[in-house]
Amino acid sequence: MTPGSVPIPARGLSCSTAIPLAVTTEAEGIAKEDAWIAENYPGATKAARKQTACNGSTIDQLDLDTANGRQVSLFFDNSGWTAKPK
C-alpha cells in the first residue's frame, strides 16, 4: 500500500461488507452469486450455504474451498428476493 492511501475492506468477507445482489428471484440470486464467485475465486467449490440475518437484511453465507486450498466465507445481501429475517 502506498503512503497516504486508504485501505479498502475486502468485499463480501463479513456481514458488514456483504455483496449486494440486485435481483428479484432466488434463481437470479444464486446465478449472480455463482458468477461472482467464478470471477473472483476461479476454481473454488462451495462447501456450505446458509442464510443468516445481518442489520435487518437476509444474508447468504457461502463457505468455499478455494483452488489454492484456502477456506473462505463469503456474504451476499439477498434481501431483494428473500423475506426479512425474524
Side-chain angles (χ1 to χ4, degrees), residues 12-83:
L13 294 179
S14 72
C15 171
S16 62
T17 63
I19 300 156
L21 299 177
V23 297
T24 56
T25 69
E26 184 175 5
E28 282 181 304
I30 291 171
K32 291 262 185 171
E33 289 172 351
D34 289 345
W36 196 94
I37 291 167
E39 182 177 327
N40 292 278
Y41 290 90
T45 57
K46 288 186 229 176
R49 179 179 186 257
K50 68 179 179 180
Q51 290 188 335
T52 188
C54 175
N55 300 325
S57 293
T58 302
I59 301 293
D60 268 355
Q61 177 182 335
L62 280 79
D63 298 330
L64 305 178
D65 293 323
T66 66
N68 65 358
R70 289 182 35 225
Q71 293 181 334
V72 67
S73 292
L74 293 176
F75 298 83
F76 292 90
D77 181 350
N78 61 15
S79 57
W81 54 272
T82 57

